[in-house]
Amino acid sequence: MDLKTATALRRLRLVSAPEAVSFLLLLLCSVLKRTTDFNAVPVMGMVHGVLFILYVIFWADAWNRTKWDKKTAGLYFLLSVLPTGGFFAERKLKRAAEDEVIASRARQEGVVNA
């Protein structure tokens, strides 16, 4: 994996969890708006919107660089629209990055021809 691909995946991973948190907070603010006088939906909506747009941009960049198949790319996009999906995307991307580091070290040491 080259440096630009690793960077694209890292950016996607780093925005996944905050995007999921903002989605959950937006849902909470939506409930509070309807049950109390508290209305933070416009602010949380903007925050979540910016994070979602960043996620989609980083997702598209990662898809372009990694050459994921449509199923994998679709899974990561689907995780962006589920309330807690960003947490799963972050965990899956972190695990893939760790596996890539292990494989890279094994190739450097000549253990495998991967």
Side-chain angles (χ1 to χ4, degrees):
M1 180 181 303
D2 65 338
L3 185 60
K4 290 184 178 183
T5 303
T7 302
L9 290 172
R10 181 172 166 77
R11 280 192 309 244
L12 180 61
R13 185 174 66 86
L14 290 177
V15 80
S16 295
E19 190 271 337
V21 169
S22 72
F23 195 174
L24 293 173
L25 288 174
L26 179 60
L27 292 175
L28 177 65
C29 289
S30 236
V31 169
L32 290 175
K33 176 184 175 184
R34 286 163 178 72
T35 58
T36 66
D37 292 334
F38 183 73
N39 184 11
V41 172
V43 173
M44 272 317 300
M46 183 181 65
V47 169
H48 174 66
V50 168
L51 288 171
F52 179 74
I53 289 169
L54 283 174
Y55 184 96
V56 171
I57 290 169
F58 294 158
W59 166 80
D61 184 39
W63 184 12
N64 183 43
R65 292 188 186 281
T66 59
K67 307 299 184 213
W68 286 328
D69 58 0
K70 289 182 181 181
K71 181 180 175 185
T72 302
L75 172 68
Y76 282 116
F77 187 79
L78 177 66
L79 289 174
S80 75
V81 297
L82 297 175
T84 58
F87 298 122
F88 295 107
E90 193 273 335
R91 188 179 325 146
K92 190 169 175 60
L93 288 165
K94 183 176 181 180
R95 194 173 306 137
E98 290 170 351
D99 291 346
E100 183 62 35
V101 167
I102 291 168
S104 175
R105 286 183 183 159
R107 282 191 299 271
Q108 286 177 350
E109 295 174 3
V111 177
V112 294
N113 293 328

